[in-house]
Amino acid sequence: MKDFINKLYRNHSLIYKGLLFICTTFLIVYLFPKSGKFKYNFERGKPWQSENLQAPFDFAIKKTDAEITSEKKELVSNTPLYFNLDKAVRNNVEAAYDSQFKNTFSDSLSNQLSSNLYKVGKNIISELYKFGILNENYDFPDDRSISILDGRENIKDGFFSNLIKQDAVSPVIDKILSDNKYTAYKTDFVALFFDIIEPNLTFNKSFTDKVLEDEFAKIAYTRGSIAEQTLIVSKGEVVDDEKYQILKSLQSEYESQVWNKTNYIWVLFAYTLLVALALLMLLLFLRKYRVSVFENNTKVTFIFFNISLLIFITTLVVNYNSKYIYVVPICILPLVFKAFFDARLGLFAHVLTVLLLGFIVPNSYEYMFLQIIAGIVTILTVSELYKRANLFISVGQITLIYIIAYFAFFVIHEGSVKELNWETFIWFILCGLATLFVQPLIYAYEKLFGLVSDVSLLELSDTNSKLLKELSNKAPGTFHHSLNVANLAESSANEIGANAMLVRVGALYHDIGKMKNPTYFTENQSTGINPHDELSYKESARIIVDHVINGIEIARKNNLPDRVIDFIRTHHGTSVVYYFYAQEKKDFPDVDKVDFSYPGPKPFSKETAILMMCDSIEAASKSLKEPTSTKIEAFVENIINKQIEEGQFLNANITFKEIQSIKKVLKYKLANIYHLRIEYPE
């Protein structure tokens, strides 16, 4: 049991990656659409590329969205509007008219005239309430049919134009008075009816909507059917509108049947295999080409998290409305991975993610082509992400590529630009603007996952930062030495294609441990007094060696990233404090070399190896007397060759060719520092 537990502990990193791999696979499969995948690709107006296709089973031909929409519009125009009638209103109006008529018209009128005017008023009421007066002005077409309800009983049918709007009462009064030649009494009638006329019709929206829903329910969403073994399309035949709709109907029926029948588990299993295969390729890529990333569980988790997050967001958008699919800023993925890792890893992960998204999005080939091209452009154009102008320029280029590629696909599909949907270009522009969110996202990821990007390195390289200011004040000689080493290391890194920004920052902070005992280091001894004169050689060596440990402690207190602390740990490797070791050996020949050695570890990357070389060269160069080109060449060769002999670079992925290039840079830089002239022959 103990051996089993020990074995688990030794392999806990691989076990974690296995669990992460399984969880991510199942999460992505869960997000996938619950349908099978039709095995044929086809486009309207293009030749059928596969063999002759016969119907595998009986299926109905679905109507197009345009046909369904047209039928619904027709039903809406033919379905009557229902209005509720309040019968009591007319009775009240007639009663009020009888009582108000005598008060309105003078008693001096003759009986005949008064009787005639009374009848005219009755005619006005009859005309107004023939169908009824609306309680508000509704916006419906005049030719829309209507039905008037008394309770649930339909008592009258007509058109919306038959109903009197409240602002149409006066024209009705005018017309009847004009027809009866009593226009002289218009003012009196208007004043009379203004006080007594009331609306008696109310639109019954709920009942109208219910009737409309019942009519919608009767719509047939299919037109005709295809029998099993019927030839649908022949190889090379152009897929016209009719055949396209038949093929879409077959695709829909096929995908529905595949997912809902007994082979549900098989389809799920197949999806799982494909997703697992894609993620396995990513892990194998990391294992073979990015070992440092593969061995870091936090970084592997970060990669899998970003892939899952993009698939999740894309799924949400597709489920809401697939026309917004291009708003999702997929190019953020290669941007983020390039910022924290490198371009090759960013592009590889981006391509795998887009391939997985092909299962989710409509028009998968077009989508994958656009996104892969955009990802390649992202990797090629985005450099020095910490420069804001570069990001804006790159986002503009990415957006332009999206628009050009989409335009080309549309012309290929449709054969013209007449029906080009310009709205899609807006989605591409929004996608570009969303891509700018990568800057705050990178900052958030740095805090959440403890990663370091070039943006953070740029901030750390500022010599006005608190820690470097403190180094400048407490150990000015060390600070000056660090600046010189940073310049040498940056030039060397540029020469061999290493991370120049990272090695510069590492050089600036590599000796911060000397702040604890600054006067014990020669570059800070300005008074001529050497405190080592009062110490034993072993004690002096211990103080010198401790500047590495002290530097790590100071760095952790100031929250420096681990990638920077690595430079502090490795810049002396396991080398020996040779001066004090040699002095001690004179008195004690059997002295233990370990007591005078740095704790290590040895440099384990190109950048840390570069720093070790540049640190040793810069520090030792102060001892050069009357330097010449010959002396400098021998000096650089001796120091770096000694480090190679001691095996200091065995753990670093640096080649002899790269070391030779670094030597050339250091010789050239030292020659410039000492202002050497050409040596003329005597």
Side-chain angles (χ1 to χ4, degrees), residues 209-235:
D209 290 344
K210 184 178 182 305
V211 171
L212 197 56
E213 287 176 11
D214 292 340
E215 293 298 322
F216 284 167
K218 297 176 185 177
I219 293 176
Y221 286 83
T222 60
R223 49 174 175 83
S225 61
I226 301 294
E228 186 177 353
Q229 296 303 314
T230 301
L231 179 64
I232 296 175
V233 62
S234 303
K235 184 175 182 180

Side-chain angles (χ1 to χ4, degrees), residues 488-511:
L488 293 174
E490 186 176 19
S491 298
S492 301
N494 283 326
E495 183 68 21
I496 66 170
N499 190 331
M501 179 67 74
L502 177 62
V503 76
R504 179 176 182 81
V505 173
L508 289 173
Y509 291 90
H510 79 282
D511 270 345

Side-chain angles (χ1 to χ4, degrees), residues 41 63 75 103-104 186 191 197 220 232 260 301 304 317 431 477 533 535 537 613:
N41 290 316
K63 294 178 181 177
L75 281 175
N103 296 333
T104 302
K186 176 185 173 182
I197 290 297
I232 296 175
N260 292 324
T301 304
F304 277 59
V317 173
C431 176
D533 295 340
L535 301 174
Y537 297 127
M613 296 182 222

Side-chain angles (χ1 to χ4, degrees), residues 426-480:
I426 297 176
W427 307 144
F428 290 134
I429 294 170
L430 291 176
C431 176
L433 294 175
T435 305
L436 295 174
F437 183 69
V438 70
Q439 284 283 22
L441 187 65
I442 287 174
Y443 176 79
Y445 279 153
E446 287 178 335
K447 301 304 177 186
L448 287 173
F449 292 91
L451 301 172
V452 182
S453 69
D454 286 349
V455 180
S456 292
L457 292 176
L458 180 66
E459 294 173 353
L460 290 170
S461 67
D462 183 7
T463 54
N464 288 315
S465 65
K466 180 183 175 183
L467 191 56
L468 291 180
K469 275 284 188 184
E470 187 179 355
L471 176 64
S472 175
N473 292 330
K474 290 184 177 180
T478 299
F479 177 72
H480 185 260

Side-chain angles (χ1 to χ4, degrees), residues 322-462:
S322 60
K323 77 175 185 178
Y324 300 124
I325 190 65
Y326 287 111
V327 178
V328 181
I330 302 296
C331 288
I332 276 185
L333 190 69
L335 277 174
V336 168
F337 285 169
K338 187 177 180 182
F340 289 115
F341 307 113
D342 60 85
R344 190 176 175 187
L345 172 56
L347 182 59
F348 191 86
H350 174 74
V351 170
L352 286 180
T353 305
V354 172
L355 290 176
L356 291 174
L357 289 174
F359 290 108
I360 300 173
V361 300
N363 299 322
S364 56
Y365 176 77
E366 174 186 320
Y367 177 85
M368 289 190 293
F369 185 91
L370 260 66
Q371 296 296 1
I372 290 174
I373 290 294
I376 294 172
V377 171
T378 303
I379 292 297
L380 294 178
T381 60
V382 176
S383 59
E384 299 178 323
L385 193 60
Y386 53 85
K387 295 181 179 179
R388 291 171 293 179
N390 287 1
L391 180 60
F392 279 96
I393 293 169
S394 297
V395 166
Q397 292 171 333
I398 294 166
T399 305
L400 182 62
I401 291 298
Y402 270 131
I403 292 173
I404 292 172
Y406 174 78
F407 175 81
F409 264 107
F410 186 88
V411 173
I412 290 171
H413 290 163
E414 302 297 332
S416 70
V417 296
K418 290 181 180 178
E419 298 188 14
L420 183 63
N421 186 5
W422 298 99
E423 184 184 17
T424 307
F425 294 156
I426 297 176
W427 307 144
F428 290 134
I429 294 170
L430 291 176
C431 176
L433 294 175
T435 305
L436 295 174
F437 183 69
V438 70
Q439 284 283 22
L441 187 65
I442 287 174
Y443 176 79
Y445 279 153
E446 287 178 335
K447 301 304 177 186
L448 287 173
F449 292 91
L451 301 172
V452 182
S453 69
D454 286 349
V455 180
S456 292
L457 292 176
L458 180 66
E459 294 173 353
L460 290 170
S461 67
D462 183 7

Side-chain angles (χ1 to χ4, degrees), residues 484-497 610 613-614 617 632-633 636-637 640 657-673:
N484 290 337
V485 173
N487 291 331
L488 293 174
E490 186 176 19
S491 298
S492 301
N494 283 326
E495 183 68 21
I496 66 170
I610 289 170
M613 296 182 222
C614 295
I617 294 293
I632 287 175
E633 284 194 16
V636 171
E637 290 287 344
I640 295 180
K657 181 179 180 181
E658 290 170 335
I659 292 175
Q660 285 301 117
S661 298
I662 292 170
K663 286 180 181 178
K664 288 180 181 178
V665 171
L666 294 176
K667 292 171 186 176
Y668 175 76
K669 287 288 183 181
L670 287 179
N672 280 297
I673 289 171

